[in-house]
Amino acid sequence: MVHGLRIIDARVEFTVNPLGIDESKPRFSWILEHEERGQYQSAYRVIVSSSLENAVKGIGDVWDSGKVNSRDQVIKYNGPPLSSFTKYYWRVKAWDSNGVEGDWSDVQWFETAVLKPEEWSGKWIGGGQLLRRSFRVEGSVIEAKAYVTGLGYYELRINGERVGDRVLDPPWSEYDKTVYYSVYDVTNLVKSGENVIGLILGRGRYGPVSPNRAQIPGLKYYDEPKASAMIRIRLSDGSVITINTDESWKCLVKGPILYDDIYNGYRYDARLEPYGWDKAGFDDSNWVQCSVVKPPGGRLRSTAAVPGTKVKGTLKPREYYNPRPGVYVFDFGQNITGWVRLRVRGSSGVEVKVRHSEVINSDGSLNVENIRGAEATDTYILSGRDVEVLEPRFTYHGFRYAEVTGYPGVPSIDDVEAVIVQTDFESTGSIATSSKIINDIHRITWWSLRANLLNGIQTDCPQRDERMGWLGDAWLSSDSAVFNFNMVKYYEKFIRDIIDSQRDDGSIPDTVPPYWNTYPADPAWGTALIYIPWLLYVHYGDVEILEEAYEAMKKWWSFLNSRVKDNVLYFSKYGEWVPPGRVFSAEYCPPEILSTWILYRDTLTLAQIAKVLGRGEDASFFTKRAEEIRDAFNRVFLTERGYYSKYTAPDGSVRMLGGSQTCNALPLYLDMVPGNRVNDIVKALAHNIEADWDRHLVVGIFGAKYVPEVLVKYGYVDLAYRAVTQESYPGWGYMIKEGATTLWERWEKLTGAGMNSHNHHMFGSIDAWFYRDLAGLMTLEPGFSRIMIKPNIPSELRYCSASLYTVRGLTSVEWSRVNDELVVTVTVPVNSTAEVHLPKLGESTVVREGDKVLWSGGKVVEVSPGVLSVKDAGDRIVVEVGSGRFIFTIKTIN
Ligand code: BGC
């Protein structure tokens, strides 16, 4: 019996059975399996059906792609226009490399939400903290869906139940350009008879109270909370009724929430909670009529395929301190984003307070200096009714420690837990090695990324009076993010946020959405607009985002280009950021080196993007501009002592600076260094790390990303490994030795007021280096259709394994050294190929694959199934393989 290709994971917009998408031409994707090695897809067919019955029968009455000869596994819907509020069923099948037709996939579905703006019938209403509407349903309910948004945050309730598990929804955006709404299946909550819909509104970023409102003059939004929603109910007689937000809703102006603010916290008086307000039978006669208010202005977009912010777990206190009577400090053992949940029994009017911090003083009391203006305090006034479970809404804190005061009695361990709030990402990658330090760095990076990929953007930090989408931080750790999580839809949203923030002159801000006025961005921050879409293309094969962002990228590029002087970009705001001992300093890399290097990279990337999009003229233009910028870069910054010791600034002043690790590594990374100088600059860099700094990286956030990569590129694997795993200052290992459970903002352990968050993800760029340079997992062609597996093996590391669920399926590599033998096991997904670069261990290397001798005596001996070619490449043997699992054993016979 012949087994064809089996479809195991079919998705729409990278999501399994999404409810309420609004893409007019959604993308379909699938993962394939096959019994044989070396298999690929020679053709596919996708059908979209209007009913389950048709899909089961294989009838694509909405769209039938027909058999398409192609290896693509992410394709776009290309049928007649889809209708709003409609459930479609679909299936896919594929033909293998021998032309064998596989079975249809299981029936999958997707449902559309609002495809035309005029179909959104909810008005924008406001005027209260609690909003309610009761209505009757005559007849029996077949299905009901809620489409809802509320700014800054909302909580939706139907008949006394909280709807959905998203918290801090909707994700942040530039509200006058885009407002996100979420879609919920509420079929089980709506019944025939009387029903009540309730909305609780919070301020979030739309009407922040403080501290930023007072401190930042450019703060853009300050308005009272508002909401818009529709509930569509389909009845058994086929009719559809829609309940919209409008003037018929009732509002409670002053409710139990006395205060809510993302920085300062939440203040709740449970005595003021109108008991049963979100259920039928409640008397709302003393509530006022809600008012129809001015819409925020932005286009409504669905979050259906964008992972939402959710409660992902809880932590019990690991230790507690009791610095003073009545003051209880709990240590949750891990710096997280979220809040504290308390169980309390006390009398009405008792006030219980929770404060949060990342660090504590030696007496066990909270140290809140480094969270600056954020009060991070949640307060509850008890109702006195039974046991009360207290947790905040519409705020979050970055903390490891929490202090509880005012608690009636002594809180027990059972009464206190930390609630972990994170984006609900699909986890796609993992890595483990024989080095505890590397595993620890990976672990604290994971926590920092999870803590900061929140609210639909990538914030710098989750705790202090900032929490902004700083673009520099975002792109620096984006490679690490895509190795660990499925980021495609999340980053597409973030890129749209950047596009939304762009001004007519092409400038974009440092912080997106631009809740602060930080225009124009430092070039090394703004590059996120070009870097992240390109990463999405490379990692996921996502061409759509390149198309969508291309014009905005060009405008930003032109803005920067208009500021160059003799092809050098002197414009900079921050430069090489947070090097040892400083927030920034030209010594670690003069800002104009960084800015010009970034402009060069942006220009090169734009040339590549133009090529992908078939814009030949643009491609040649950018290629030529890149060369001019590179030449200027070398003319101005390259001296006999490297990049660079002495140069004349535009104001005529002569600057003397030592060639730093960062400024020598950057041009090496992009192959900008003239051929005859490469050697001495590599040597100078290695010497600086090895001899001058005793094998430490002395860099800020840019050097931290590129120096390790450059060392490996030029063969200094052991030096790179040693520098990265240093346990003495400065280094990641030092943070860990000092007890960090998330990455610090600074190399120093600082706990005073100022710039020293204990949870910044930007130094987390190193995690991608573990995947790419140690495990050796890379993509050669977009979307891992062609993979490169090229492990680098430091003498201090015994084994390393990593796996990644790509858009083509699972790929993995595992290498381990036992005595003089190296075993490298790789997995290549169906429909991909891989170049496996195996290190030669010595002069006469023997390579086996399974039980076959592949290579011996300097030549190919016997090729096993799935192996496409074997080549000698100097210090490596390059084996090209098709799909499957391969076990290579490398041995040297001396
Ligand atoms: C943020 C950084 C950011 C920087 C830019 C800081 O306040 O926390 O992470 O990149 O400002 O200057």
Side-chain angles (χ1 to χ4, degrees):
M1 171 176 171
V2 204
H3 297 278
L5 288 169
R6 214 157 58 84
I7 310 251
I8 56 160
D9 187 0
R11 304 186 184 196
V12 176
E13 285 300 320
F14 304 97
T15 309
V16 179
N17 300 336
L19 172 69
I21 56 169
D22 59 359
E23 283 81 1
S24 54
K25 288 178 182 282
R27 289 165 285 181
F28 299 94
S29 62
W30 55 89
I31 305 290
L32 299 161
E33 266 187 359
H34 203 291
E35 319 273 282
E36 294 166 13
R37 278 181 172 184
Q39 267 295 345
Y40 59 88
Q41 167 189 296
S42 59
Y44 69 81
R45 181 175 162 203
V46 169
I47 55 165
V48 178
S49 317
S50 60
S51 66
L52 180 59
E53 298 70 46
N54 279 351
V56 169
K57 287 190 209 134
I59 302 169
D61 57 325
V62 176
W63 182 53
D64 186 337
S65 71
K67 182 177 174 186
V68 181
N69 294 325
S70 161
R71 289 183 67 157
D72 290 348
Q73 269 170 264
V74 180
I75 65 128
K76 215 170 170 158
Y77 174 77
N78 195 21
L82 298 168
S83 307
S84 299
F85 311 116
T86 307
K87 186 167 184 174
Y88 294 93
Y89 300 84
W90 73 285
R91 298 177 97 175
V92 52
K93 65 161 73 174
W95 285 258
D96 72 9
S97 62
N98 309 313
V100 175
E101 180 174 347
D103 289 336
W104 281 118
S105 65
D106 292 342
V107 177
Q108 302 293 96
W109 58 265
F110 63 97
E111 188 173 310
T112 54
V114 182
L115 299 182
K116 295 189 196 121
E118 63 274 17
E119 289 166 322
W120 185 276
S121 48
K123 294 180 180 166
W124 280 92
I125 59 171
Q129 177 183 97
L130 304 182
L131 284 59
R132 82 188 293 274
R133 158 84 205 259
S134 82
F135 61 96
R136 285 196 67 79
V137 173
E138 313 293 347
S140 68
V141 176
I142 297 295
E143 59 167 5
K145 305 281 157 64
Y147 306 80
V148 57
T149 185
L151 300 182
Y153 292 133
Y154 72 88
E155 183 178 313
L156 174 66
R157 309 187 66 89
I158 295 183
N159 295 328
E161 305 271 340
R162 192 187 192 291
V163 176
D165 56 358
R166 286 174 178 255
V167 295
L168 304 174
D169 205 52
W172 296 347
S173 62
E174 170 75 316
Y175 303 117
D176 57 12
K177 296 279 178 49
T178 307
V179 174
Y180 283 88
Y181 67 90
S182 293
V183 183
Y184 301 101
D185 187 337
V186 294
T187 309
N188 294 333
L189 296 176
V190 177
K191 47 188 193 341
S192 62
E194 196 193 342
N195 289 274
V196 171
I197 316 172
L199 277 167
I200 309 175
L201 294 185
R203 312 192 71 90
R205 285 288 186 185
Y206 195 64
V209 185
S210 65
N212 289 27
R213 176 163 157 67
Q215 285 167 0
I216 311 291
L219 187 71
K220 187 154 181 189
Y221 295 100
Y222 184 67
D223 204 348
E224 290 305 311
K226 48 183 77 164
S228 186
M230 327 184 267
I231 317 270
R232 282 176 50 98
I233 303 159
R234 200 154 60 82
L235 301 176
S236 55
D237 65 3
S239 63
V240 172
I241 50 174
T242 305
I243 309 297
N244 294 309
T245 40
D246 59 20
E247 43 282 274
S248 71
W249 285 55
K250 297 296 273 304
C251 273
L252 179 65
V253 181
K254 280 204 163 72
I257 302 175
L258 305 180
Y259 181 93
D260 71 280
D261 175 90
I262 61 162
Y263 301 108
N264 285 354
Y266 184 70
R267 198 173 158 78
Y268 192 80
D269 188 343
R271 294 171 306 183
L272 303 180
E273 192 179 308
Y275 201 68
W277 71 278
D278 52 359
K279 288 188 188 149
F282 178 81
D283 175 12
D284 63 10
S285 54
N286 62 344
W287 288 34
V288 301
Q289 195 185 333
C290 297
S291 26
V292 171
V293 296
K294 193 167 157 270
R299 143 178 190 203
L300 287 165
R301 270 191 110 116
S302 168
T303 61
V306 183
T309 309
K310 295 186 178 174
V311 169
K312 296 296 289 179
T314 55
L315 293 173
K316 277 284 163 204
R318 198 181 289 168
E319 287 185 49
Y320 73 92
Y321 308 87
N322 196 188
R324 290 196 318 278
V327 178
Y328 306 93
V329 173
F330 297 92
D331 175 3
F332 295 99
Q334 174 64 50
N335 205 12
I336 62 160
T337 296
W339 51 73
V340 169
R341 186 184 289 149
L342 287 180
R343 283 163 45 92
V344 186
R345 194 193 295 270
S347 16
S348 172
V350 165
E351 193 172 310
V352 181
K353 192 182 274 189
V354 188
R355 292 164 69 233
H356 306 76
S357 76
E358 294 187 301
V359 281
I360 50 167
N361 298 311
S362 51
D363 66 354
S365 62
L366 295 193
N367 174 348
V368 293
E369 282 183 50
N370 76 330
I371 63 173
R372 308 192 309 209
E375 281 169 22
T377 303
D378 298 335
T379 311
Y380 308 92
I381 299 167
L382 304 186
S383 71
R385 275 193 298 262
D386 202 2
V387 173
E388 294 175 63
V389 178
L390 309 175
E391 57 185 309
R393 294 183 173 89
F394 312 139
T395 192
Y396 68 96
H397 311 290
F399 67 104
R400 169 175 168 170
Y401 303 92
E403 176 204 84
V404 177
T405 49
Y407 192 93
V410 179
S412 81
I413 300 285
D414 284 328
D415 296 325
V416 184
E417 59 192 348
V419 176
I420 303 169
V421 176
Q422 297 175 340
T423 299
D424 192 24
F425 286 119
E426 174 188 15
S427 155
T428 50
S430 46
I431 184 160
T433 73
S434 58
S435 153
K436 176 151 188 328
I437 300 174
I438 290 195
N439 299 347
D440 285 342
I441 300 171
H442 170 67
R443 172 176 51 80
I444 73 171
T445 302
W446 186 96
W447 280 102
S448 282
L449 284 170
R450 291 307 289 256
N452 281 297
L453 287 158
L454 208 77
N455 280 300
I457 68 158
Q458 192 157 1
T459 58
D460 56 338
C461 58
Q463 73 298 78
R464 70 181 179 214
D465 50 358
E466 194 149 354
R467 314 185 195 182
M468 286 287 167
W470 283 98
L471 294 183
D473 311 40
W475 77 261
L476 281 165
S477 63
S478 58
D479 296 75
S480 297
V482 298
F483 270 111
N484 288 294
F485 317 115
N486 185 350
M487 296 298 301
V488 61
K489 293 300 296 183
Y490 194 86
Y491 274 150
E492 283 184 353
K493 178 212 167 267
F494 190 48
I495 293 305
R496 290 188 186 113
D497 294 333
I498 306 180
I499 298 172
D500 277 354
S501 74
Q502 189 164 42
R503 289 185 170 164
D504 291 343
D505 66 357
S507 67
I508 57 172
D510 286 307
T511 50
V512 170
Y515 302 135
W516 290 354
N517 180 351
T518 48
Y519 294 88
D522 182 305
W525 270 246
T527 188
L529 174 56
I530 295 166
Y531 189 90
I532 297 178
W534 181 248
L535 176 68
L536 294 185
Y537 172 69
V538 170
H539 200 87
Y540 301 102
D542 184 0
V543 193
E544 267 74 12
I545 196 66
L546 295 183
E547 277 162 3
E548 196 175 332
Y550 187 62
E551 287 309 315
M553 293 174 184
K554 284 210 308 189
K555 271 170 68 184
W556 168 237
W557 182 89
S558 302
F559 177 86
L560 291 180
N561 191 53
S562 71
R563 299 202 156 203
V564 301
K565 204 166 167 269
D566 297 332
N567 291 322
V568 171
L569 185 57
Y570 292 91
F571 167 58
S572 167
K573 293 160 81 178
Y574 321 113
E576 175 61 316
W577 191 248
V578 289
R582 313 275 174 82
V583 172
F584 75 115
S585 147
E587 259 172 65
Y588 291 94
C589 182
E592 49 274 29
I593 283 206
L594 182 62
S595 289
T596 310
W597 182 80
I598 287 282
L599 180 65
Y600 173 70
R601 190 184 69 184
D602 287 348
T603 313
L604 273 187
T605 309
L606 275 167
Q608 283 170 293
I609 295 173
K611 225 174 276 165
V612 172
L613 299 181
R615 315 234 186 166
E617 246 172 69
D618 283 9
S620 2
F621 168 78
F622 286 120
T623 307
K624 194 168 147 284
R625 275 302 284 135
E627 284 163 13
E628 290 160 2
I629 296 163
R630 182 201 55 211
D631 292 348
F633 185 91
N634 288 327
R635 192 183 66 239
V636 178
F637 303 127
L638 180 56
T639 72
E640 317 84 73
R641 286 160 57 200
Y643 294 87
Y644 58 68
S645 337
K646 178 180 172 181
Y647 88 108
T648 311
D651 63 8
S653 64
V654 175
R655 299 199 195 170
M656 293 287 290
L657 294 159
S660 75
Q661 295 180 9
T662 302
C663 68
N664 277 333
L666 294 178
L668 284 169
Y669 180 77
L670 289 181
D671 297 316
M672 298 167 80
V673 183
N676 61 342
R677 295 297 309 277
V678 172
N679 232 337
D680 64 281
I681 291 179
V682 170
K683 283 215 180 98
L685 173 66
H687 181 84
N688 180 291
I689 297 167
E690 177 102 49
D692 300 350
W693 293 104
D694 191 21
R695 298 187 283 186
H696 286 79
L697 299 181
V698 179
V699 292
I701 52 179
F702 299 95
K705 178 165 171 65
Y706 290 105
V707 174
E709 299 227 24
V710 165
L711 289 175
V712 167
K713 175 172 173 178
Y714 289 98
Y716 290 88
V717 175
D718 280 342
L719 179 61
Y721 179 82
R722 180 47 86 84
V724 166
T725 55
Q726 276 297 356
E727 286 184 88
S728 54
Y729 169 82
W732 291 273
Y734 172 73
M735 296 187 195
I736 284 157
K737 226 181 66 195
E738 290 296 320
T741 60
T742 41
L743 294 162
W744 299 340
E745 177 177 22
R746 307 285 294 275
W747 291 117
E748 295 78 32
K749 184 175 193 177
L750 299 171
T751 56
M755 301 282 289
N756 52 41
S757 119
H758 282 235
N759 199 352
H760 255 61
H761 57 87
M762 56 202 182
F763 281 124
S765 58
I766 196 63
D767 203 44
W769 185 82
F770 300 152
Y771 281 95
R772 249 185 335 227
D773 289 68
L774 291 185
L777 208 54
M778 277 169 272
T779 175
L780 280 175
E781 299 282 340
F784 289 84
S785 51
R786 192 169 157 73
I787 300 168
M788 172 142 100
I789 293 171
K790 190 178 181 184
N792 290 292
I793 302 181
S795 44
E796 293 178 58
L797 199 62
R798 281 178 292 112
Y799 62 81
C800 175
S801 47
S803 61
L804 180 69
Y805 193 59
T806 72
V807 287
R808 296 238 159 161
L810 189 78
T811 180
S812 69
V813 53
E814 177 190 315
W815 60 258
S816 84
R817 270 186 302 140
V818 188
N819 304 322
D820 59 345
E821 217 177 70
L822 174 71
V823 182
V824 181
T825 306
V826 306
T827 311
V828 180
V830 170
N831 204 25
S832 290
T833 58
E835 269 183 15
V836 187
H837 294 238
L838 300 168
K840 286 184 186 166
L841 295 183
E843 275 311 298
S844 40
T845 298
V846 177
V847 181
R848 293 166 177 279
E849 194 287 300
D851 55 8
K852 302 245 162 62
V853 177
L854 266 190
W855 181 271
S856 178
K859 56 180 195 317
V860 184
V861 181
E862 195 184 357
V863 163
S864 47
V867 172
L868 306 171
S869 70
V870 186
K871 280 188 203 109
D872 192 342
D875 57 352
R876 303 253 183 183
I877 291 165
V878 179
V879 183
E880 181 156 4
V881 296
S883 66
R885 189 175 164 81
F886 301 84
I887 304 173
F888 300 99
T889 313
I890 304 137
K891 217 181 160 128
T892 292
I893 317 193
N894 286 318

